[in-house]
Amino acid sequence: MCWCRKCASSRCSSRPDAMDPFRLGLVATRIHYFQLVARLGSIRRAALALNVAPSSISRVLKQLEDELGTPLFERVRQRLKLTSAGELMLYHARASLGELNRACNEINELHGLHRGSLSVAVVESVARGLMPGRCSSSGDGIRTSPSKSR
């Protein structure tokens, strides 16, 4: 998700977009932490990616669960697995973030700053070997961000 590949965060300071929902403060810290922990399956890994203390992320998630009145994660063999409530929250959080990104892109288009994203599905061997080299050698400012389908 991060453009600089140093971390797994959308909040990374290396990200080139000035019109980013995270930078603009449009995404609540609670939702950001929740999404990252859900994606990485670990509070520790999320803390490393965000450069914050694991206890801070744990405390924020606990507050969110307390306010919702239901657990969002269950602990299964050293990993966090989403509960049904967590799955619902993640679905709506992603939809909300998608809408915020679309709004930022449309505002950029009003200013003549045409940007966008393109998702390309390829087999793993192509994703590891061919795609990064082809995209980075074009010099058009194309950044790759690999993700695994579930």
Side-chain angles (χ1 to χ4, degrees):
M1 201 160 177
C2 174
W3 296 104
C4 74
R5 295 188 188 131
K6 287 187 239 172
C7 66
S9 171
S10 298
R11 289 185 116 171
C12 177
S13 59
S14 301
R15 190 173 173 132
D17 300 17
M19 280 292 254
D20 176 44
F22 292 98
R23 280 184 185 240
L24 295 172
L26 298 174
V27 179
T29 301
R30 289 176 172 182
I31 295 299
H32 180 60
Y33 285 7
F34 168 73
Q35 284 182 304
L36 194 57
V37 170
R39 187 162 57 88
L40 297 176
S42 163
I43 289 175
R44 185 184 53 78
R45 280 190 252 156
L48 286 171
L50 293 169
N51 197 27
V52 298
S55 59
S56 174
I57 293 177
S58 183
R59 185 174 46 255
V60 167
L61 291 179
K62 178 70 173 133
Q63 288 171 349
L64 180 60
E65 289 176 329
D66 288 347
E67 286 187 20
L68 292 172
T70 186
L72 299 173
F73 294 99
E74 59 180 297
R75 282 163 173 64
V76 179
R77 291 191 214 121
Q78 302 287 2
R79 286 192 52 90
L80 294 176
K81 184 176 182 268
L82 288 169
T83 62
S84 296
E87 291 281 350
L88 279 171
M89 179 62 81
L90 184 61
Y91 172 80
H92 289 287
R94 285 180 175 164
S96 176
L97 182 57
E99 288 299 316
L100 286 171
N101 279 323
R102 275 190 282 286
C104 288
N105 287 337
E106 289 177 21
I107 291 169
N108 279 336
E109 288 175 8
L110 289 175
H111 297 294
L113 303 172
H114 298 287
R115 295 184 183 150
S117 62
L118 172 67
S119 297
V120 179
V122 295
V123 294
E124 186 175 355
S125 60
V126 173
R128 289 178 182 243
L130 182 64
M131 290 300 287
R134 294 284 184 212
C135 291
S136 63
S137 66
S138 66
D140 294 331
I142 296 174
R143 304 259 197 294
T144 59
S145 176
S147 65
K148 293 182 180 179
S149 63
R150 291 188 175 222

